[in-house]
Amino acid sequence: MANVLVVGGGGREHAIAKAMMASPQVSTVYCAPGNPGMIRDGIRTLAIDEMDFAGLVNFARANTVTLTFVGPEVPLATGIVDYFQAAGLAIFGPNQVAAQLESSKVFAKAFMSRHHIPTADYRQFHELDSALAYSHEQAVPQVIKVDGLAAGKGVTVATSYEQAAAAIKTAFKTSSTVLIEDYVAGFEFSQMVLVGGEHYALLPTAQDHKRLQDHDRGPNTGGMGAYSPVPQITPAVLDQTIATIIEPTIAGLKTDGLSFEGVIYVGGILTATGVQVIEYNLRLGDPETQILLPQLQSDFYQVIVDLLQHRQPHAQWQTTATYLGVVLAAPGYPGPTEAGVPVPTVAGADYASVAGTPDQLVSAGGRVMMVTASAPSLVAAQRAVYQQIDQLRVGNLVYRTDIGVKGMTASHD
């Protein structure tokens, strides 16, 4: 029987750990550092920071861990995969060079240009004055991006020149390189792929809701909820995404000597002229993972082992239901949050920034939990989730009441 180590501590890692626990081949799943909300599901949390690579390797060796799965982007960008591979340990994720597809917007744009992968035109700047001058000459809306990692919050869609200027000034406070990108109108979606060299397995398509408040108002967040599948992403659109983005990306990685075993997450947009890449991530999305992995009917552990060994995996997904999840966050999110706010205990929920005990959880960060449901239709799944939330003592926790609405066409209402 296998021991698995999941690196990270959030809702995504809770979902990954539960999917690993469901494998008949897995005896124990450790999560480092994990959180107290995971313990009720039989996941063993570890007091090892996700950036303590030496501590993680030592634990993996001492506890005969056969597979490590990395959840968050920061350890990947910092080289955790290279560190584990140097120690001769099996780990699922991109190496540090390949992880630049997420950690550097400039690297990603150059990659897409080189391999003819459709994406918006852009210019990069290293000086504030030239960026402001260029911005003022371009039409609005325009998209301002920080080059490095920004926890899902490094992008501003500026609808006025004043907003653009403020975003550019803010961006230069945290990065020496800022991108100004053409605004592309369309329908956004998340398409994740599990990759092992030239082999891959598509996950169902999902859509994340980034803004804090209903009707896509308020600041950008790490994600306030998600649903899957996405009715607007038809089989024809998916085929186009595979042919013009996913397969050229995998081929481009091989051409550039960056082939790896891990996740490619295409942040896509369906435009009037076809599908484009908004951005790449090199790990599973949070909150999408929490409504995607429960749809897997195959053995998740075996899928990952097959990809690590460059074998085509058998990944069977359900096709009859819609899965929908709503994130609850501490008051103040995505700014400074209130700690110690009671967080309800719900069977089946995925927990993130919580402290306390499994029976008395409290907030210890921004997004604290995600409540999910599945039903034969999007409308029914949405209703089921909010019925669950209505029965909870959520107190001052904040959440959106319209997750899934983008997928509902007039015929559904």
Side-chain angles (χ1 to χ4, degrees):
M1 295 290 282
N3 294 333
V4 175
L5 171 62
V6 178
V7 177
R12 163 185 47 216
E13 290 76 34
H14 193 168
I16 292 166
K18 285 195 291 192
M20 288 293 180
M21 291 274 294
S23 167
Q25 302 181 69
V26 173
S27 57
T28 310
V29 177
Y30 301 100
C31 196
N35 69 68
M38 298 178 177
I39 294 169
R40 292 170 70 99
D41 288 320
I43 299 156
R44 313 237 322 237
T45 60
L46 305 173
I48 307 174
D49 189 86
E50 64 190 38
M51 298 300 287
D52 180 4
F53 300 169
L56 292 167
V57 161
N58 290 341
F59 178 87
R61 280 186 170 147
N63 292 274
T64 57
V65 167
T66 54
L67 169 65
T68 297
F69 192 113
V70 187
E73 61 270 28
V74 176
L76 291 170
T78 315
I80 187 171
V81 170
D82 309 70
Y83 197 96
F84 267 67
Q85 288 175 341
L89 295 171
I91 184 167
F92 193 72
N95 58 30
Q96 189 171 15
V97 177
Q100 290 178 97
L101 270 184
E102 173 166 7
S103 65
S104 168
K105 300 288 189 291
V106 171
F107 182 92
K109 283 288 190 182
F111 176 90
M112 284 184 270
S113 173
R114 195 162 56 245
H115 298 293
H116 309 292
I117 295 163
T119 188
D121 289 336
Y122 74 103
R123 288 274 297 274
Q124 68 187 66
F125 296 91
H126 305 289
E127 295 174 344
L128 176 62
D129 290 345
S130 57
L132 291 171
Y134 175 81
S135 169
H136 205 68
E137 292 164 3
Q138 304 306 305
V140 288
Q142 51 191 244
V143 182
I144 318 300
K145 290 185 176 181
V146 175
D147 182 41
L149 292 174
K153 307 180 191 84
V155 178
T156 301
V157 179
T159 53
S160 69
Y161 290 110
E162 294 76 18
Q163 192 183 4
I168 291 165
K169 288 172 185 172
T170 301
F172 270 112
K173 289 175 184 171
T174 59
S175 175
S176 60
T177 304
V178 173
L179 283 71
I180 301 176
E181 194 174 280
D182 291 352
Y183 174 75
V184 176
F187 185 86
E188 295 185 25
F189 64 99
S190 306
Q191 184 58 59
M192 283 164 245
V193 196
L194 303 169
V195 179
E198 295 176 39
H199 297 281
Y200 67 89
L202 286 178
L203 280 77
T205 308
Q207 188 177 57
D208 178 14
H209 294 58
K210 284 284 186 197
R211 299 281 185 160
L212 179 68
Q213 296 159 0
D214 288 3
H215 314 298
D216 285 340
R217 296 199 175 110
N220 256 347
T221 71
M224 295 303 293
Y227 65 97
S228 169
V230 183
Q232 287 86 341
I233 306 305
T234 62
V237 174
L238 184 57
D239 287 347
Q240 185 187 45
T241 304
I242 293 166
T244 64
I245 295 172
I246 289 165
E247 291 185 345
T249 297
I250 293 170
L253 288 165
K254 186 182 179 188
T255 299
D256 292 355
L258 301 176
S259 184
F260 68 92
E261 301 80 41
V263 180
I264 297 173
Y265 166 152
V266 173
I269 185 164
L270 176 57
T271 76
T273 57
V275 178
Q276 292 189 13
V277 179
I278 298 174
E279 65 177 1
Y280 287 114
N281 294 324
L282 269 288
R283 36 77 195 180
L284 290 172
D286 186 343
E288 298 98 326
T289 306
Q290 294 92 301
I291 48 105
L292 289 172
L293 289 185
Q295 299 185 55
L296 183 63
Q297 295 173 329
S298 315
D299 181 331
F300 186 50
Y301 174 79
Q302 188 60 50
V303 168
I304 301 304
V305 167
D306 285 343
L307 288 167
L308 279 170
Q309 296 175 0
H310 291 201
R311 290 194 304 259
Q312 184 58 39
H314 173 70
Q316 187 80 35
W317 305 88
Q318 72 81 33
T319 56
T320 57
T322 290
Y323 283 64
L324 187 142
V326 175
V327 170
L328 286 79
Y333 180 74
T337 54
E338 203 176 317
V341 176
V343 175
T345 301
V346 182
D350 294 296
Y351 286 91
S353 302
V354 291
T357 66
D359 296 318
Q360 281 195 304
L361 298 169
V362 294
S363 63
R367 298 181 295 172
V368 295
M369 70 183 295
M370 181 160 164
V371 178
T372 60
S374 64
S377 72
L378 178 53
V379 171
Q382 186 192 56
R383 189 181 304 122
V385 167
Y386 286 113
Q387 282 174 349
Q388 279 189 70
I389 293 172
D390 287 345
Q391 291 165 13
L392 302 178
R393 292 184 176 177
V394 297
N396 294 327
L397 299 178
V398 296
Y399 62 95
R400 282 179 60 157
T401 63
D402 66 345
I403 300 301
V405 73
K406 293 179 189 178
M408 295 179 191
T409 60
S411 61
H412 285 102
D413 295 336

PDB file of all heavy atoms in Angstrom, residues 177-196:
ATOM      1  N   THR A 177       8.914  44.543 -13.771  1.00  0.00           N
ATOM      2  CA  THR A 177       8.394  44.356 -15.126  1.00  0.00           C
ATOM      3  C   THR A 177       6.876  44.314 -15.075  1.00  0.00           C
ATOM      4  O   THR A 177       6.292  43.539 -14.313  1.00  0.00           O
ATOM      5  CB  THR A 177       8.919  43.045 -15.745  1.00  0.00           C
ATOM      6  OG1 THR A 177      10.342  43.051 -15.711  1.00  0.00           O
ATOM      7  CG2 THR A 177       8.447  42.899 -17.185  1.00  0.00           C
ATOM      8  N   VAL A 178       6.264  45.155 -15.889  1.00  0.00           N
ATOM      9  CA  VAL A 178       4.800  45.241 -15.943  1.00  0.00           C
ATOM     10  C   VAL A 178       4.363  45.095 -17.390  1.00  0.00           C
ATOM     11  O   VAL A 178       4.994  45.626 -18.305  1.00  0.00           O
ATOM     12  CB  VAL A 178       4.306  46.581 -15.351  1.00  0.00           C
ATOM     13  CG1 VAL A 178       2.808  46.760 -15.564  1.00  0.00           C
ATOM     14  CG2 VAL A 178       4.637  46.658 -13.861  1.00  0.00           C
ATOM     15  N   LEU A 179       3.289  44.325 -17.599  1.00  0.00           N
ATOM     16  CA  LEU A 179       2.753  44.125 -18.941  1.00  0.00           C
ATOM     17  C   LEU A 179       1.459  44.919 -19.105  1.00  0.00           C
ATOM     18  O   LEU A 179       0.633  44.962 -18.188  1.00  0.00           O
ATOM     19  CB  LEU A 179       2.445  42.652 -19.194  1.00  0.00           C
ATOM     20  CG  LEU A 179       3.621  41.721 -19.506  1.00  0.00           C
ATOM     21  CD1 LEU A 179       4.482  41.498 -18.272  1.00  0.00           C
ATOM     22  CD2 LEU A 179       3.110  40.387 -20.022  1.00  0.00           C
ATOM     23  N   ILE A 180       1.317  45.545 -20.270  1.00  0.00           N
ATOM     24  CA  ILE A 180       0.045  46.155 -20.658  1.00  0.00           C
ATOM     25  C   ILE A 180      -0.443  45.373 -21.871  1.00  0.00           C
ATOM     26  O   ILE A 180       0.232  45.300 -22.892  1.00  0.00           O
ATOM     27  CB  ILE A 180       0.194  47.650 -20.972  1.00  0.00           C
ATOM     28  CG1 ILE A 180       0.749  48.399 -19.755  1.00  0.00           C
ATOM     29  CG2 ILE A 180      -1.156  48.233 -21.401  1.00  0.00           C
ATOM     30  CD1 ILE A 180       1.014  49.872 -19.989  1.00  0.00           C
ATOM     31  N   GLU A 181      -1.617  44.774 -21.712  1.00  0.00           N
ATOM     32  CA  GLU A 181      -2.103  43.809 -22.688  1.00  0.00           C
ATOM     33  C   GLU A 181      -3.409  44.319 -23.294  1.00  0.00           C
ATOM     34  O   GLU A 181      -4.210  44.957 -22.611  1.00  0.00           O
ATOM     35  CB  GLU A 181      -2.331  42.490 -21.946  1.00  0.00           C
ATOM     36  CG  GLU A 181      -2.529  41.273 -22.789  1.00  0.00           C
ATOM     37  CD  GLU A 181      -2.603  40.031 -21.903  1.00  0.00           C
ATOM     38  OE1 GLU A 181      -1.550  39.525 -21.469  1.00  0.00           O
ATOM     39  OE2 GLU A 181      -3.725  39.576 -21.648  1.00  0.00           O
ATOM     40  N   ASP A 182      -3.625  44.017 -24.551  1.00  0.00           N
ATOM     41  CA  ASP A 182      -4.900  44.357 -25.183  1.00  0.00           C
ATOM     42  C   ASP A 182      -6.031  43.643 -24.456  1.00  0.00           C
ATOM     43  O   ASP A 182      -5.903  42.469 -24.092  1.00  0.00           O
ATOM     44  CB  ASP A 182      -4.922  43.915 -26.649  1.00  0.00           C
ATOM     45  CG  ASP A 182      -3.964  44.734 -27.508  1.00  0.00           C
ATOM     46  OD1 ASP A 182      -3.410  45.719 -26.990  1.00  0.00           O
ATOM     47  OD2 ASP A 182      -3.779  44.368 -28.683  1.00  0.00           O
ATOM     48  N   TYR A 183      -7.129  44.346 -24.283  1.00  0.00           N
ATOM     49  CA  TYR A 183      -8.307  43.723 -23.674  1.00  0.00           C
ATOM     50  C   TYR A 183      -9.005  42.854 -24.714  1.00  0.00           C
ATOM     51  O   TYR A 183      -9.201  43.264 -25.857  1.00  0.00           O
ATOM     52  CB  TYR A 183      -9.268  44.791 -23.164  1.00  0.00           C
ATOM     53  CG  TYR A 183     -10.571  44.238 -22.643  1.00  0.00           C
ATOM     54  CD1 TYR A 183     -10.627  43.607 -21.409  1.00  0.00           C
ATOM     55  CD2 TYR A 183     -11.742  44.338 -23.399  1.00  0.00           C
ATOM     56  CE1 TYR A 183     -11.813  43.090 -20.926  1.00  0.00           C
ATOM     57  CE2 TYR A 183     -12.939  43.825 -22.919  1.00  0.00           C
ATOM     58  CZ  TYR A 183     -12.969  43.200 -21.681  1.00  0.00           C
ATOM     59  OH  TYR A 183     -14.145  42.674 -21.217  1.00  0.00           O
ATOM     60  N   VAL A 184      -9.346  41.642 -24.310  1.00  0.00           N
ATOM     61  CA  VAL A 184     -10.049  40.715 -25.201  1.00  0.00           C
ATOM     62  C   VAL A 184     -11.394  40.388 -24.560  1.00  0.00           C
ATOM     63  O   VAL A 184     -11.447  39.930 -23.414  1.00  0.00           O
ATOM     64  CB  VAL A 184      -9.228  39.426 -25.416  1.00  0.00           C
ATOM     65  CG1 VAL A 184     -10.005  38.436 -26.258  1.00  0.00           C
ATOM     66  CG2 VAL A 184      -7.893  39.749 -26.062  1.00  0.00           C
ATOM     67  N   ALA A 185     -12.471  40.632 -25.301  1.00  0.00           N
ATOM     68  CA  ALA A 185     -13.805  40.331 -24.787  1.00  0.00           C
ATOM     69  C   ALA A 185     -14.152  38.875 -25.089  1.00  0.00           C
ATOM     70  O   ALA A 185     -13.792  38.347 -26.144  1.00  0.00           O
ATOM     71  CB  ALA A 185     -14.836  41.253 -25.427  1.00  0.00           C
ATOM     72  N   GLY A 186     -14.853  38.237 -24.147  1.00  0.00           N
ATOM     73  CA  GLY A 186     -15.252  36.855 -24.394  1.00  0.00           C
ATOM     74  C   GLY A 186     -15.688  36.168 -23.120  1.00  0.00           C
ATOM     75  O   GLY A 186     -15.872  36.795 -22.077  1.00  0.00           O
ATOM     76  N   PHE A 187     -15.836  34.859 -23.214  1.00  0.00           N
ATOM     77  CA  PHE A 187     -16.327  34.022 -22.122  1.00  0.00           C
ATOM     78  C   PHE A 187     -15.147  33.244 -21.541  1.00  0.00           C
ATOM     79  O   PHE A 187     -14.524  32.451 -22.230  1.00  0.00           O
ATOM     80  CB  PHE A 187     -17.395  33.065 -22.668  1.00  0.00           C
ATOM     81  CG  PHE A 187     -18.063  32.224 -21.618  1.00  0.00           C
ATOM     82  CD1 PHE A 187     -19.150  32.697 -20.911  1.00  0.00           C
ATOM     83  CD2 PHE A 187     -17.593  30.940 -21.342  1.00  0.00           C
ATOM     84  CE1 PHE A 187     -19.773  31.905 -19.940  1.00  0.00           C
ATOM     85  CE2 PHE A 187     -18.197  30.154 -20.374  1.00  0.00           C
ATOM     86  CZ  PHE A 187     -19.289  30.641 -19.674  1.00  0.00           C
ATOM     87  N   GLU A 188     -14.841  33.489 -20.277  1.00  0.00           N
ATOM     88  CA  GLU A 188     -13.663  32.868 -19.657  1.00  0.00           C
ATOM     89  C   GLU A 188     -13.985  31.474 -19.106  1.00  0.00           C
ATOM     90  O   GLU A 188     -15.093  31.222 -18.642  1.00  0.00           O
ATOM     91  CB  GLU A 188     -13.127  33.760 -18.531  1.00  0.00           C
ATOM     92  CG  GLU A 188     -12.597  35.095 -19.032  1.00  0.00           C
ATOM     93  CD  GLU A 188     -11.959  35.919 -17.934  1.00  0.00           C
ATOM     94  OE1 GLU A 188     -11.498  35.328 -16.928  1.00  0.00           O
ATOM     95  OE2 GLU A 188     -11.910  37.160 -18.079  1.00  0.00           O
ATOM     96  N   PHE A 189     -12.972  30.608 -19.164  1.00  0.00           N
ATOM     97  CA  PHE A 189     -13.142  29.247 -18.622  1.00  0.00           C
ATOM     98  C   PHE A 189     -11.783  28.707 -18.213  1.00  0.00           C
ATOM     99  O   PHE A 189     -10.743  29.227 -18.596  1.00  0.00           O
ATOM    100  CB  PHE A 189     -13.814  28.327 -19.657  1.00  0.00           C
ATOM    101  CG  PHE A 189     -13.012  28.097 -20.913  1.00  0.00           C
ATOM    102  CD1 PHE A 189     -12.248  26.948 -21.074  1.00  0.00           C
ATOM    103  CD2 PHE A 189     -13.020  29.031 -21.947  1.00  0.00           C
ATOM    104  CE1 PHE A 189     -11.510  26.733 -22.228  1.00  0.00           C
ATOM    105  CE2 PHE A 189     -12.280  28.821 -23.112  1.00  0.00           C
ATOM    106  CZ  PHE A 189     -11.531  27.665 -23.247  1.00  0.00           C
ATOM    107  N   SER A 190     -11.821  27.649 -17.413  1.00  0.00           N
ATOM    108  CA  SER A 190     -10.603  26.998 -16.918  1.00  0.00           C
ATOM    109  C   SER A 190     -10.525  25.593 -17.500  1.00  0.00           C
ATOM    110  O   SER A 190     -11.446  24.796 -17.304  1.00  0.00           O
ATOM    111  CB  SER A 190     -10.628  26.894 -15.383  1.00  0.00           C
ATOM    112  OG  SER A 190     -10.857  28.152 -14.790  1.00  0.00           O
ATOM    113  N   GLN A 191      -9.433  25.305 -18.207  1.00  0.00           N
ATOM    114  CA  GLN A 191      -9.237  23.958 -18.747  1.00  0.00           C
ATOM    115  C   GLN A 191      -7.924  23.402 -18.219  1.00  0.00           C
ATOM    116  O   GLN A 191      -6.853  23.847 -18.598  1.00  0.00           O
ATOM    117  CB  GLN A 191      -9.240  23.947 -20.276  1.00  0.00           C
ATOM    118  CG  GLN A 191      -9.131  22.554 -20.871  1.00  0.00           C
ATOM    119  CD  GLN A 191     -10.263  21.639 -20.398  1.00  0.00           C
ATOM    120  OE1 GLN A 191     -11.433  21.911 -20.608  1.00  0.00           O
ATOM    121  NE2 GLN A 191      -9.906  20.551 -19.734  1.00  0.00           N
ATOM    122  N   MET A 192      -8.032  22.442 -17.323  1.00  0.00           N
ATOM    123  CA  MET A 192      -6.842  21.836 -16.724  1.00  0.00           C
ATOM    124  C   MET A 192      -6.521  20.499 -17.373  1.00  0.00           C
ATOM    125  O   MET A 192      -7.417  19.784 -17.812  1.00  0.00           O
ATOM    126  CB  MET A 192      -7.035  21.676 -15.219  1.00  0.00           C
ATOM    127  CG  MET A 192      -6.851  22.998 -14.498  1.00  0.00           C
ATOM    128  SD  MET A 192      -7.498  22.966 -12.836  1.00  0.00           S
ATOM    129  CE  MET A 192      -8.814  24.144 -12.991  1.00  0.00           C
ATOM    130  N   VAL A 193      -5.234  20.187 -17.421  1.00  0.00           N
ATOM    131  CA  VAL A 193      -4.741  18.971 -18.053  1.00  0.00           C
ATOM    132  C   VAL A 193      -3.672  18.363 -17.153  1.00  0.00           C
ATOM    133  O   VAL A 193      -2.765  19.075 -16.702  1.00  0.00           O
ATOM    134  CB  VAL A 193      -4.101  19.277 -19.431  1.00  0.00           C
ATOM    135  CG1 VAL A 193      -3.945  18.006 -20.242  1.00  0.00           C
ATOM    136  CG2 VAL A 193      -4.882  20.309 -20.201  1.00  0.00           C
ATOM    137  N   LEU A 194      -3.777  17.074 -16.882  1.00  0.00           N
ATOM    138  CA  LEU A 194      -2.722  16.344 -16.181  1.00  0.00           C
ATOM    139  C   LEU A 194      -1.765  15.811 -17.243  1.00  0.00           C
ATOM    140  O   LEU A 194      -2.189  15.151 -18.188  1.00  0.00           O
ATOM    141  CB  LEU A 194      -3.318  15.184 -15.375  1.00  0.00           C
ATOM    142  CG  LEU A 194      -4.385  15.571 -14.342  1.00  0.00           C
ATOM    143  CD1 LEU A 194      -5.083  14.330 -13.804  1.00  0.00           C
ATOM    144  CD2 LEU A 194      -3.779  16.380 -13.210  1.00  0.00           C
ATOM    145  N   VAL A 195      -0.471  16.103 -17.088  1.00  0.00           N
ATOM    146  CA  VAL A 195       0.501  15.845 -18.148  1.00  0.00           C
ATOM    147  C   VAL A 195       1.634  14.955 -17.641  1.00  0.00           C
ATOM    148  O   VAL A 195       2.103  15.117 -16.509  1.00  0.00           O
ATOM    149  CB  VAL A 195       1.096  17.180 -18.664  1.00  0.00           C
ATOM    150  CG1 VAL A 195       2.133  16.941 -19.744  1.00  0.00           C
ATOM    151  CG2 VAL A 195      -0.004  18.091 -19.192  1.00  0.00           C
ATOM    152  N   GLY A 196       2.067  14.026 -18.507  1.00  0.00           N
ATOM    153  CA  GLY A 196       3.260  13.235 -18.247  1.00  0.00           C
ATOM    154  C   GLY A 196       4.034  13.112 -19.538  1.00  0.00           C
ATOM    155  O   GLY A 196       3.729  12.248 -20.362  1.00  0.00           O
TER     156      GLY A 196
END
